[in-house]
Amino acid sequence: MKPAAFEYVAVRTTEEALAELARDGQDARLLAGGQSLMPILNMRLATPRRLIDLNRVGELAYIRAHDGGVAIGAMTRQRAVEKSALVARCVPLLADAMPWVGHFQIRNRGTIGGSLAHADPAAELPAVAACLDARVTVRGPAGTRTLTADQLYWTYLTTTLAPTEILTEVWFPTAPSRTGHAWLEFARRHGDYALVGVAAAIMLEEDSVAEARLALTGVGARPVRARDAERRLVGRRPDDAALADAAERVKQVTEPQSDIHATAEYRRHLAGVLTLRALRLAVARARQAPPVTT
Amino acid sequence: MTTRAIGARIPRNEDPRLLRGLGCFVDDVNPAGVLHGAVLRSPHAHARIVSIDTARARALSGVVLVLTAPDLGEQNQPTPLLIPNPNLTHPRTPRPLARDEVRFVGEPVVFVVARDRYVAEDAVAAIDVTWEPLPAVASIETALADGAPLVHADVPGNRAARMVQRVGDPDGAFASAARVLHEQLFIERSCGSPIEGRGVVAEYDPRAGTLRVWSSTQAPLPIKNGLARLFGLPEFRVDVIAPDVGGGFGTKIMLFYPEEILVPFAAVRLGRPVKWTEDRREHLIAATQERGQRHDVEVAVDADGRILALRDRFLHDAGAYTPYGIVVPIITSTQLPGPYKLRNYAVEFDVVYTNTAMVTPYRGAGRPHGAFVMERVIGLIARELSLEPAEVRRRNFIQPHEFPWDVGLTFQDGGPTRYDSGNYPLGLELVLARLGPGDFRRRQAEARREERYLGLGIGCYVEGTGIGPYEGAHVRIEPSGRVFVATGLTTQGQGHQTTFAQIAADALGCDPADVTVVTGDTRKFNWGAGTFASRALVTSGNAIGIAALKVRDKVLRIAAELLEVSSDDLELAGGVVGVRGMPDTALTLGALATVANPIRYAFGKEAAEAALRLVKPRKGAVLAPGEEPGLEAYGYYAPPHATFASGCHAAIVEVDIATGDVKILRYVVQHDCGTVVNPTVVEGQIHGGVAQGIGGALYERIVYDEQGQPLTTTFMDFLMPTTMEVPEIEIIHTETPSPLNPLGIKGVGEAGAIPVPALIAEAVDDALAPFGVRVREMPLNPGRVLALLAEGRATA
Amino acid sequence: MIPPEIAITVRVNERDYVERVAPRLLLSDFLRHQLGLTGTHVGCEHGVCGACTVLLDGAAVRSCLLLAVQADGARITTVEGLARDGEPLHPVQEAFREMHGLQCGFCTPGVLLSAVELLRDTPHPDDATIRRGLAGNLCRCTGYQNIVRAVRRAAELLDRR
């Protein structure tokens, strides 16, 4: 299980990386943390001619308060995000989800940008980004553009990025006050990709739902934002009937696939169960949530 | 005598080396100039090989050798059938490289040797094979269907073997029974998957004509002797070494694996050392696997739940070849009765070829299947008669005064299935006392009111261990005072360098830390079979005991001569011999070893003094007629038949009826492996076995699609439990020594894994009793649990 | 076409190496076969089993998911670096010996290095923390029972140092 031969270049700046990409286009792959790409290379499921290693691009590793939220450089290690006090305070959903990304040894190396750009519909970070309407910054030959998570994801392991573009940053909005968040997932074993994962955010006003956000992993070809279920919650008292109604709606709109770990039917059922549990948890936390400031 | 070493919790001799990263596993063996092999494996479950074009591979820089079947000539003959049986009417074994046809995904077709593994894999990718795909059968059911494609064109109906066994008069008992119950049960394919895969290194010295092979095997001696025959070399010029082995679990008892022939062949051909290290994908498709049986069982019971008779018909999936014979289904059929009185028993099985990886023993070796069937039957009776499953067990246990108990069947080794000793009722009561079943029923009822579902499951087993043919040992005391022990079988984590040392130390009155044990090196010991069937400590342990006692006798004899006393007056402890109560007479074992070797060029102050002080001038030959130099002896032990260990496990689980998740809240083990040599080591064996059992009950499956493509080719798909899935395991030791061997030992290597699927099934049944759930297949997964719930609710 | 080798400088177990490596050479193979540090074991080469775990600039990582070239300029600790020849065992190693935390020893180096980081981050872990922290290291022999106990014991031994 050894990779096929490739050329290797370690770039120091985003500019250099863009120049390399412009030159090699389709034949090159960007190497971020490598925790998904390296297994694929070792198994020879991918055989790029050239690897462009971003790990020495220091300018892409940062976590900072920015524009009413938290901006995280693409090459920031997942472990740094997990341990960040700023993230814990301002983006509790992301902090909640981080320990579920692989194991700590994977997060020591894995990057936030790599995970977002790998676009695995079973992964935590794309769903968190979708749930919170995170914005990703993308640089390419034509300049910089900003995408929402919804605009970023195309299908299974595929983003809307051009082969010459690099995802350089993700920005999460600071959690508003009176908001509760929950990340719940169900995996066969701890550290595995979840069969289904649910990100939920509930904002309460006068004990009715002012805003609801729901995103799921494992139930489609990309992270699924359950907007219909969200709409059904807004304006309602978050009692069990309302939450169950939303969970039922989530089940109806998901289109999971069967594989050796679970049938589509089971995943759909699980999506309903976890949604209900995540909503309950988010509501309970919203009721206790202190106001948040960046 | 001071404290006995046997029975002591002493830390392991092997640990400092392994902890410092100084172990030597096969892939750590790097003879100068070693080349690296890779195997082109069949991507098809069944196909004809039309042509193989290796030109592009040969042209790659760094490629040294490319071998296809014709290149191997005579050496490409089918590998030996290890354990023939008259009921195995259609045995088929693979050739090292497939010739015309491949029969499972992963079967070796071309062997490449190159500068490094990277280039070797490049070369494999550059080989063009033209295949003619053939229809495949990937499951027992499809293999037995009318007009099913044939795995072997000359094996009609894909039936390799059929065996029928009978004890007593089952038909008569069924005819007169109060009740007859019936169940169909299924246990899926799995595999051992040690963290170290397989590996082979071979080095041939053309000047000396010697072949040296390192293999991550559980049985180097048969490999050595086989290779000598295959390559036409004298046995004494072939050495096979199993160095540190990173787990075996039966996977590595299979021999010959194709690579165990391909690598030496290439080394001989090239005159250069060659290494092949299995990668994980290769392991999960081409190493042998196990489990995979479908049972149809009927039981006849009286009104009190006493079993009158049992009939079991089962199908056993052999995979594509039967190199290991039909040992696994024989064990299933003979061990199925477990700890219960079964006077009328009929069992028949068919062994079926499929286009999947070969099936050979994996930890438990047919027993988890048998225990699953028997214990499901116990549960069935309990439900039918509204009894606690524990009570049904009590009513059917063989009682302590009834040993030896003859099951009436021929065991895997050809000997009787005769239980030598045990106390099965005690085991159950100890486990229940620990768990507090009355208290549990109360908590269960309370939890149900909160819609939480707790269940209690019990699993009992009897395990035939320590089978023959025999093992041997060489024990020698060196002038340094250190003791050297060698035995032919191997170690892959069981702590033999410690437990074997404890046995020798006990006989020789020395510290186990002063005993160096060498296993699995044919240069050091040349007789024996290997490590399998939970037999190492029984066979080699007793052989070491026997050899060490011979050395002890000689120690005492020489000391008695030197001290001019009767050996009865001597005391041997703490590495010294002396007259009891006279410490100034003490002689060290090292000094005696120096004296015992009449060539007196002793190095070191102590030895020189010993030589000077102790060796007296004698008349005549230095060695009297019949006397041998040194303090050493050989010993052999051949068990009369298997010795039967036993145990009872119980667990409390919680089932989440929304997700189908099964969480183990408590896990208690009672086990009886006769004399315990090192409790810490025994507990470790049980811990690991239980973890594998939990894997087999809830996580691990090898899955093939309908075309025979394996779908579990990574550790992301074959789900071995982690720290998070294995609960704390509580262990209760009981010791009923075996009357069959001098040390009273029974085996324990496989025990932990055996009853786990059975008890998880019972626990889930119990938890979900309000829904009428009955578990009929293993392993479970959350989706299956929910399906069972739906099924139960529909029929309730 | 074979891509050219690349020169790297790497400090492994406090010793500097200047080596040339093919771009595709995995760090695990570099350590094992080029530097001869065979204590780092390879069990799956897709990042699941954790046997190949080493410390890279102090952080536990899978060496099978890194290229040797990526280690240029880095400081690496392998199991051989926990206690040098002639030195007593590292407290984590000592605890594994005391508690029978290993059987075949194949997964052990990765477990030890994961435990070193775990105990650095959480000097007094409870069992749940230990189990979560070591979930990324598969062991097929021990059922993890004595591994958990060994890490608990290692915390005590480290405290005494």
Side-chain angles (χ1 to χ4, degrees):
Chain A
M1 218 183 259
K2 309 292 182 191
F6 48 74
E7 293 168 26
Y8 170 89
V9 58
V11 293
R12 301 265 167 188
T13 64
T14 315
E15 285 304 323
E16 268 183 66
L18 287 167
E20 290 288 341
L21 269 184
R23 202 158 60 83
D24 286 310
Q26 301 277 14
D27 289 346
R29 287 290 291 264
L30 292 173
L31 176 60
Q35 303 301 287
S36 296
L37 179 58
M38 287 303 300
I40 292 170
L41 296 180
N42 289 358
M43 294 179 205
R44 300 196 180 204
L45 298 173
T47 53
R49 196 176 58 76
R50 191 168 163 86
L51 278 191
I52 301 165
D53 187 352
L54 298 174
N55 282 281
R56 290 172 199 277
V57 183
E59 64 192 23
L60 289 182
Y62 56 85
I63 302 172
R64 56 182 171 237
H66 175 68
D67 193 19
V70 177
I72 306 175
M75 287 304 293
T76 308
R77 306 287 173 200
Q78 291 156 2
R79 189 78 160 143
V81 178
E82 180 184 355
K83 290 181 172 180
S84 161
L86 181 65
V87 169
R89 195 168 69 243
C90 299
V91 198
L93 180 65
L94 181 60
D96 231 21
M98 283 318 301
W100 295 93
V101 179
H103 301 284
F104 84 82
Q105 300 91 337
I106 299 292
R107 299 192 294 276
N108 271 341
R109 191 68 193 168
T111 62
I112 190 143
S115 177
L116 289 169
H118 186 58
D120 193 318
E124 289 81 3
L125 296 180
V128 170
C131 182
L132 298 178
D133 286 321
R135 294 199 306 261
V136 297
T137 304
V138 175
R139 285 186 60 185
T144 301
R145 61 193 182 110
T146 305
L147 301 174
T148 63
D150 204 37
Q151 292 164 324
L152 174 65
Y153 292 111
W154 181 249
T155 183
Y156 188 70
L157 300 182
T158 312
T159 64
T160 55
L161 265 60
T164 50
E165 287 182 312
I166 301 175
L167 190 162
T168 55
E169 182 186 283
V170 57
W171 175 88
F172 292 93
T174 294
S177 58
R178 290 286 284 162
T179 302
H181 295 87
W183 173 266
L184 284 187
E185 67 173 61
F186 188 82
R188 292 303 322 279
R189 295 177 302 186
H190 181 80
D192 284 339
Y193 278 116
L195 299 179
V196 174
V198 178
I202 295 288
M203 184 201 277
L204 294 180
E205 268 170 26
E206 308 290 323
D207 208 40
S208 76
V209 177
E211 186 183 69
R213 293 165 174 275
L214 271 172
L216 288 91
T217 72
V219 293
R222 30 178 262 159
V224 170
R225 184 76 184 267
R227 294 190 190 276
D228 193 33
E230 294 172 1
R231 276 192 292 273
R232 280 166 181 253
L233 281 167
V234 174
R236 290 183 68 173
R237 277 179 49 79
D239 54 21
D240 246 28
L243 304 187
D245 179 44
E248 191 53 38
R249 189 62 202 154
V250 164
K251 272 167 70 177
Q252 286 164 15
V253 296
T254 56
E255 287 177 6
Q257 301 275 313
S258 289
D259 63 22
I260 56 165
H261 299 301
T263 62
E265 190 188 352
Y266 176 75
R267 279 197 165 86
R268 185 176 296 118
H269 168 84
L270 194 59
V273 171
L274 292 186
T275 299
L276 180 58
R277 289 178 181 181
L279 285 172
R280 281 180 186 152
L281 186 57
V283 167
R285 285 176 176 172
R287 286 181 174 142
Q288 297 163 2
V292 174
T293 47
T294 304
Chain B
M1 278 289 263
T2 49
T3 14
R4 271 170 62 90
I6 290 180
R9 286 184 183 273
I10 57 170
R12 303 198 313 168
N13 286 341
E14 41 271 82
D15 288 350
R17 203 169 47 81
L18 294 169
L19 284 164
R20 287 176 185 269
L22 301 177
C24 182
F25 297 86
V26 168
D27 193 50
D28 306 340
V29 174
N30 286 307
V34 67
L35 299 167
H36 297 261
V39 181
L40 175 93
R41 299 177 184 278
S42 170
H44 296 285
H46 198 189
R48 209 168 63 75
I49 301 167
V50 178
S51 65
I52 301 173
D53 182 352
T54 60
R56 283 199 302 135
R58 287 174 201 276
L60 285 178
S61 167
V63 173
V64 180
L65 184 67
V66 180
L67 295 170
T68 60
D71 300 321
L72 297 182
E74 280 295 292
Q75 269 88 29
N76 200 38
Q77 55 187 272
T79 55
L81 173 61
L82 290 170
I83 307 166
N85 185 296
N87 295 290
L88 176 58
T89 50
H90 295 79
R92 296 293 180 271
T93 62
R95 295 172 191 274
L97 291 176
R99 217 169 40 173
D100 313 309
E101 196 173 322
V102 287
R103 297 185 175 85
F104 69 96
V105 172
E107 187 164 3
V109 178
V110 184
F111 187 60
V112 174
V113 180
R115 182 182 61 221
D116 59 43
R117 174 76 183 208
Y118 292 75
V119 174
E121 290 192 19
D122 293 345
V124 165
I127 294 168
D128 301 300
V129 183
T130 307
W131 308 96
E132 182 191 322
L134 299 169
V137 286
S139 68
I140 297 173
E141 295 72 35
T142 50
L144 292 178
D146 283 344
L150 296 179
V151 177
H152 300 273
D154 55 354
V155 179
N158 292 317
R159 286 171 196 269
R162 176 171 172 74
M163 188 163 177
V164 180
Q165 298 162 90
R166 181 174 295 259
V167 179
D169 175 21
D171 293 342
F174 267 94
S176 61
R179 291 173 204 241
V180 172
L181 309 170
H182 173 242
E183 191 69 292
Q184 288 181 312
L185 299 162
F186 179 52
I187 190 157
E188 269 190 271
R189 186 71 79 88
S190 187
C191 75
S193 207
I195 306 294
E196 183 209 33
R198 300 180 295 120
V200 184
V201 177
E203 183 176 32
Y204 179 68
D205 181 344
R207 283 163 301 186
T210 54
L211 176 64
R212 181 167 298 173
V213 176
W214 292 261
S215 177
S216 182
T217 180
Q218 296 174 218
L221 279 159
I223 293 177
K224 167 203 156 112
N225 296 337
L227 287 176
R229 283 301 291 271
L230 190 67
F231 289 95
L233 295 167
E235 283 183 9
F236 75 90
R237 291 217 164 107
V238 181
D239 292 314
V240 177
I241 301 149
D244 288 318
V245 174
F249 315 117
T251 312
K252 296 174 180 174
I253 189 57
M254 159 66 191
L255 60 100
F256 287 81
Y257 273 111
E259 297 84 358
E260 285 166 338
I261 293 166
L262 296 171
V263 175
F265 182 94
V268 171
R269 168 72 66 90
L270 294 168
R272 290 183 63 180
V274 177
K275 172 190 288 189
W276 167 81
T277 304
E278 182 184 61
D279 68 30
R280 190 51 56 181
R281 182 184 144 77
E282 290 182 289
H283 186 86
L284 288 170
I285 66 173
T288 58
Q289 304 175 354
E290 210 229 75
R291 315 293 190 245
Q293 289 181 355
R294 193 170 281 285
H295 287 253
D296 200 326
V297 64
E298 281 179 291
V299 65
V301 284
D302 70 13
D304 297 325
R306 284 187 188 80
I307 298 172
L308 303 173
L310 191 135
R311 272 196 209 114
D312 184 39
R313 275 182 288 273
F314 72 95
L315 303 171
H316 172 82
D317 181 355
Y321 300 95
T322 47
Y324 218 89
I326 53 173
V327 163
V328 173
I330 289 176
I331 296 174
T332 302
S333 62
T334 51
Q335 297 265 259
L336 186 145
Y340 308 112
K341 294 181 195 181
L342 201 50
R343 282 308 188 197
N344 301 298
Y345 174 43
V347 58
E348 57 186 72
F349 62 79
D350 289 275
V351 178
V352 182
Y353 285 117
T354 58
N355 292 109
T356 61
M358 297 182 285
V359 167
T360 67
Y362 155 46
R363 195 177 206 167
R367 295 175 186 88
H369 331 34
F372 180 59
V373 173
M374 190 67 224
E375 297 294 89
R376 291 280 66 203
V377 164
I378 295 288
L380 193 64
I381 297 167
R383 185 168 294 189
E384 178 73 14
L385 300 178
S386 300
L387 293 168
E388 280 279 349
E391 182 54 30
V392 178
R393 292 183 170 94
R394 283 188 196 105
R395 293 181 188 182
N396 286 283
F397 275 141
I398 296 160
Q399 296 301 308
H401 65 271
E402 293 177 301
F403 291 92
W405 176 271
D406 220 318
V407 174
L409 297 168
T410 302
F411 196 50
Q412 63 169 128
D413 57 351
T417 306
R418 184 181 298 143
Y419 299 172
D420 47 325
S421 65
N423 190 338
Y424 309 144
L426 174 68
L428 175 67
E429 299 314 325
L430 287 172
V431 164
L432 290 179
R434 180 72 72 91
L435 277 177
D439 179 51
F440 170 72
R441 289 290 173 223
R442 186 180 51 71
R443 282 191 295 128
Q444 183 184 43
E446 277 168 22
R448 276 182 191 165
R449 284 193 286 279
E450 297 161 20
E451 293 186 40
R452 289 175 54 227
Y453 295 89
L454 306 181
L456 167 68
I458 299 167
C460 299
Y461 67 93
V462 173
E463 181 198 5
T465 70
I467 59 171
Y470 74 93
E471 291 294 334
H474 177 202
V475 174
R476 182 174 69 222
I477 300 173
E478 301 195 341
S480 64
R482 289 197 61 84
V483 178
F484 167 79
V485 173
T487 185
L489 53 64
T490 62
T491 188
Q492 47 274 341
Q494 300 93 329
H496 294 150
Q497 286 164 22
T498 309
T499 50
F500 290 173
Q502 285 175 268
I503 291 169
D506 240 20
L508 296 173
C510 66
D511 185 339
D514 288 331
V515 182
T516 302
V517 176
V518 173
T519 58
D521 185 340
T522 64
R523 297 170 299 183
K524 302 290 187 219
F525 199 81
N526 200 38
W527 299 101
T531 299
F532 54 91
S534 302
R535 71 190 286 277
L537 201 63
V538 178
T539 52
S540 279
N542 278 292
I544 289 163
I546 289 164
L549 286 175
K550 288 188 197 172
V551 176
R552 176 193 176 90
D553 285 348
K554 187 162 180 184
V555 164
L556 293 175
R557 179 164 57 79
I558 292 178
E561 279 171 26
L562 290 173
L563 297 171
E564 295 174 340
V565 296
S566 156
S567 62
D568 295 341
D569 299 330
L570 292 175
E571 176 175 66
L572 172 53
V576 296
V577 190
V579 179
R580 199 169 282 114
M582 299 174 67
D584 57 326
T585 63
L587 299 165
T588 66
L589 289 174
L592 289 166
T594 304
V595 173
N597 181 7
I599 302 165
R600 302 186 293 259
Y601 43 83
F603 244 106
K605 189 162 157 277
E606 206 179 306
E609 275 174 15
L612 200 64
R613 182 162 65 91
L614 298 172
V615 180
K616 297 164 185 162
R618 35 166 104 223
K619 297 186 192 96
V622 183
L623 288 175
E627 183 69 298
E628 291 173 2
L631 292 179
E632 70 173 351
Y634 291 81
Y636 296 85
Y637 176 70
H641 61 81
T643 173
F644 288 81
S646 62
C648 174
H649 297 200
I652 293 171
V653 305
E654 176 165 1
V655 183
D656 180 338
I657 63 163
T659 61
D661 193 29
V662 177
K663 194 182 282 322
I664 302 171
L665 304 179
R666 274 192 82 184
Y667 199 105
V668 177
V669 173
Q670 171 273 331
H671 80 100
D672 188 339
C673 59
T675 305
V676 171
V677 174
N678 186 330
T680 308
V681 167
V682 167
E683 285 159 13
Q685 289 297 302
I686 291 166
H687 292 155
V690 170
Q692 267 174 334
I694 289 170
L698 295 170
Y699 300 99
E700 298 166 12
R701 325 153 52 200
I702 293 284
V703 184
Y704 289 90
D705 73 9
E706 286 171 12
Q707 284 73 46
Q709 283 295 329
L711 302 179
T712 38
T713 61
T714 72
F715 274 166
M716 289 182 283
D717 299 310
F718 184 73
L719 306 178
M720 306 199 311
T722 76
T723 46
M724 302 295 282
E725 284 75 46
V726 183
E728 185 161 335
I729 299 164
E730 303 165 52
I731 294 179
I732 304 165
H733 295 273
T734 58
E735 292 190 52
T736 316
S738 171
L740 299 181
N741 63 70
L743 295 173
I745 294 171
K746 302 178 179 185
V748 72
E750 295 166 273
I754 295 170
V756 190
L759 77 95
I760 294 293
E762 187 167 303
V764 170
D765 270 12
D766 186 43
L768 301 181
F771 308 99
V773 163
R774 179 130 183 97
V775 175
R776 294 185 177 84
E777 63 185 310
M778 275 286 146
L780 291 173
N781 62 46
R784 280 186 182 164
V785 170
L786 288 194
L788 287 170
L789 267 167
E791 188 188 306
R793 282 170 164 147
T795 52
Chain C
M1 197 223 52
I2 300 159
E5 290 192 340
I6 298 169
I8 62 169
T9 306
V10 56
R11 188 165 179 80
V12 183
N13 302 335
E14 307 306 317
R15 185 177 150 191
D16 291 315
Y17 295 86
V18 180
E19 295 284 328
R20 297 189 67 78
V21 296
R24 63 169 161 171
L25 183 68
L26 300 177
L27 179 60
S28 46
D29 286 336
F30 171 74
L31 292 170
R32 290 179 49 73
H33 302 308
Q34 197 153 332
L35 302 190
L37 295 168
T38 53
T40 299
H41 297 151
V42 170
C44 77
E45 290 180 303
H46 51 272
V48 182
C49 79
C52 69
T53 303
V54 299
L55 300 182
L56 178 81
D57 293 326
V61 295
R62 314 294 207 208
S63 63
C64 75
L65 298 187
L66 278 162
L67 301 169
V69 286
Q70 295 186 285
D72 187 22
R75 195 167 48 81
I76 291 173
T77 304
T78 69
V79 66
E80 291 96 334
L82 287 179
R84 236 56 61 70
D85 285 351
E87 289 178 4
L89 295 175
H90 182 280
V92 176
Q93 292 170 315
E94 183 55 42
F96 272 69
R97 174 164 160 76
E98 279 184 29
M99 305 311 289
H100 188 33
L102 66 155
Q103 289 184 26
C104 78
F106 196 79
C107 73
T108 309
V111 176
L112 294 175
L113 291 161
S114 292
V116 166
E117 181 175 336
L118 172 69
L119 290 168
R120 199 183 54 212
D121 270 19
T122 324
H124 304 106
D126 57 18
D127 278 12
T129 306
I130 295 170
R131 284 178 176 271
R132 241 190 341 270
L134 292 181
N137 290 86
L138 293 177
C139 170
R140 197 60 160 162
C141 293
T142 64
Y144 307 105
Q145 305 296 305
N146 291 340
I147 289 179
V148 173
R149 284 175 200 148
V151 175
R152 219 190 291 146
R153 175 71 180 142
E156 291 171 15
L157 293 179
L158 282 163
D159 259 0
R160 276 186 216 165
R161 260 221 310 207

